[in-house]
Amino acid sequence: MSGTAPDDVRLARAYLSRVAEPHAGALAGLVSEVGPVEAARLVRSGEVSPSVVSQTSARRAEERAHEDLERIAGRGGRLVVPEDAEWPGWPFIALTMGQARRLRCGGEPLALWVRGPYDLGEVTEKAVAVVGSRAASGYGEHVAAEFGYGLAQAGVTVVSGAAYGIDGAAHRGALGGGGVTVAVLACGVDIAYPAGHQGLLGKIAKEGLVISEYPPGVTPARHRFLTRNRLIAALGVGTVVVEAGRRSGAKNTAAITVALGRVLMVVPGPVTSASSAGCHELLRDRQAEPVSSVAEVVESVGRFGDDLATQPAQKQSEIGAPQGEAMRVYEALGKRSAVSAEVASVESGVALERVRALLPELELAGLALQADGGWQRVEVPR
């Protein structure tokens, strides 16, 4: 598909996105059968099946499509529809197939409200979801930030839900790595939720993408978080759960990831930590594979990562020895035993924050590896 949707199609989908609470399977079926413009006409007139009536009757008089499109444009955003070239059709095929198999995950959205400068289809061609507990530990936030940073450095888009804890750390890590991150909201993209992430969401809207299937002004609700989780799972080639309790939204995203046939990865944590209990449960049930580094994440999703974790010798010979501060940090790492980032900072004389940023880069280049809670040097072939 190429080009931009006609105005009548965009208006119809803007109307339909407001009159039914996602995911409205019966309405989606009608749109698939007769097209969005005719579906909108039928919904307005009430000439639809009882199942579509039940999904649309409460809001069918809400004629706010023009207003919604003007409102999103005023925030520098747009409505992206399946008829647009930037629609992420490939990631959403899994949702369509899941709906056909009567999975409870829900199908493809009718439209997506988007803020940000990037093409949604392009940035989600190479994406990984990173999710986890809101009540994250310091360990979890550190790992999520490192993964976000490292994935961004590897050119991988980081998808998450903008919540406190793991989500926020993953978004910040990706932004710090100079990459693209996508925040999927359970409310309108003109609403900063959680309020404490207003600055973060503003930054993502400028340097990444903020998206939602909910029209402007729609407020968050518990059921909407569960509904939006299917989009997070679908937009990533795989999902990494950094921390999750036994009952959590992250485990819901994990279950959808498995149902869609995507790769599910989890980060093992301390056995005494309730924040990691859900991760260990997923491992015990063999629904997920453990990952402890960015290279392992990229290798696990496979499609674009074969050369990162499986061929370190080749990467070393291509890149050669690191330079500048990276060289100092590299030389500070132990040859036979791992050292902490703090020790590497003292030994190299490089600021701790900079050391923590450089270590994932060295790992991606095959020049360092994580072991025994620290970092160890991988010798460069001469």
Side-chain angles (χ1 to χ4, degrees):
M1 184 186 299
S2 63
T4 303
D7 289 345
D8 61 339
V9 169
R10 197 174 311 281
L11 280 166
R13 287 194 179 270
Y15 166 75
L16 294 171
S17 78
R18 183 172 286 282
V19 299
E21 188 73 20
H23 171 262
L27 176 59
L30 176 65
V31 172
S32 178
E33 180 182 347
V34 303
V37 176
E38 177 65 7
R41 186 192 70 79
L42 293 172
V43 168
R44 287 188 182 97
S45 65
E47 303 172 42
V48 290
S49 67
S51 57
V52 176
V53 167
S54 69
Q55 293 176 352
T56 61
S57 61
R59 300 177 187 166
R60 76 181 189 193
E62 297 251 332
E63 293 281 356
R64 293 167 59 179
H66 284 283
E67 177 188 338
D68 286 339
L69 289 170
E70 288 175 2
R71 186 169 178 177
I72 192 67
R75 296 297 301 270
R78 61 199 182 276
L79 179 66
V80 178
V81 299
E83 292 80 8
D84 287 330
E86 72 167 300
W87 184 257
W90 178 255
F92 286 156
I93 285 176
L95 289 175
T96 303
M97 293 176 65
Q99 188 176 23
R101 300 199 310 270
R102 300 186 183 278
L103 299 179
R104 292 186 177 182
C105 59
E108 182 179 47
L110 291 170
L112 288 170
W113 301 86
V114 179
R115 290 177 63 203
Y118 290 95
D119 183 295
L120 178 60
E122 288 182 2
V123 300
T124 53
E125 286 179 358
K126 191 175 178 181
V128 168
V130 180
V131 299
S133 174
R134 288 173 173 82
S137 67
Y139 160 82
E141 291 196 6
H142 174 74
V143 171
E146 281 202 347
F147 277 26
Y149 184 95
L151 288 168
Q153 289 278 297
V156 179
T157 298
V158 175
V159 180
S160 197
Y164 290 131
I166 298 303
D167 291 15
H171 287 309
R172 290 188 183 94
L175 291 170
V180 178
T181 188
V182 177
V184 187
L185 304 189
C187 58
V189 296
D190 58 332
I191 295 176
Y193 187 88
H197 277 175
Q198 182 173 359
L200 175 62
L201 286 166
K203 189 173 178 64
I204 295 173
K206 291 178 180 177
E207 302 178 21
L209 291 174
V210 179
I211 72 171
S212 176
E213 59 186 323
Y214 298 99
V218 173
T219 56
R222 181 179 174 84
H223 67 276
R224 290 176 180 147
F225 287 98
L226 297 176
T227 300
R228 71 89 194 261
N229 286 346
R230 82 188 196 286
L231 302 184
I232 295 176
L235 288 172
V237 178
T239 298
V240 182
V241 181
V242 179
E243 282 187 325
R246 284 196 166 87
R247 293 187 177 183
S248 65
K251 281 202 71 180
N252 173 256
T253 306
I256 296 171
T257 299
V258 173
L260 295 179
R262 301 289 168 81
V263 181
L264 179 61
M265 299 155 278
V266 301
V267 177
V271 295
T272 55
S273 172
S275 298
S276 292
C279 292
H280 298 154
E281 200 169 72
L282 290 168
L283 286 173
R284 190 167 59 250
D285 294 343
R286 298 184 179 180
Q287 295 185 58
E289 56 186 81
V291 290
S292 59
S293 68
V294 171
E296 289 178 1
V297 172
V298 180
E299 179 187 21
S300 294
V301 294
R303 192 178 73 172
F304 48 80
D306 292 342
D307 62 335
L308 283 180
T310 58
Q311 299 177 16
Q314 180 181 349
K315 291 298 279 187
Q316 291 163 12
S317 61
E318 290 175 356
I319 295 171
Q323 304 295 320
E325 287 184 336
M327 170 60 84
R328 287 159 58 188
V329 173
Y330 172 76
E331 293 290 347
L333 302 181
K335 292 182 179 180
R336 296 180 178 83
S337 59
V339 302
S340 66
E342 289 78 7
V343 169
S345 175
V346 172
E347 289 295 322
S348 65
V350 177
L352 181 57
E353 182 178 355
R354 179 62 177 154
V355 169
R356 286 176 172 160
L358 286 169
L359 286 170
E361 293 185 36
L362 291 171
E363 182 180 35
L364 283 172
L367 299 170
L369 58 86
Q370 286 183 281
D372 301 324
W375 294 84
Q376 191 170 339
R377 184 195 313 179
V378 174
E379 292 296 329
V380 182
R382 299 185 184 277

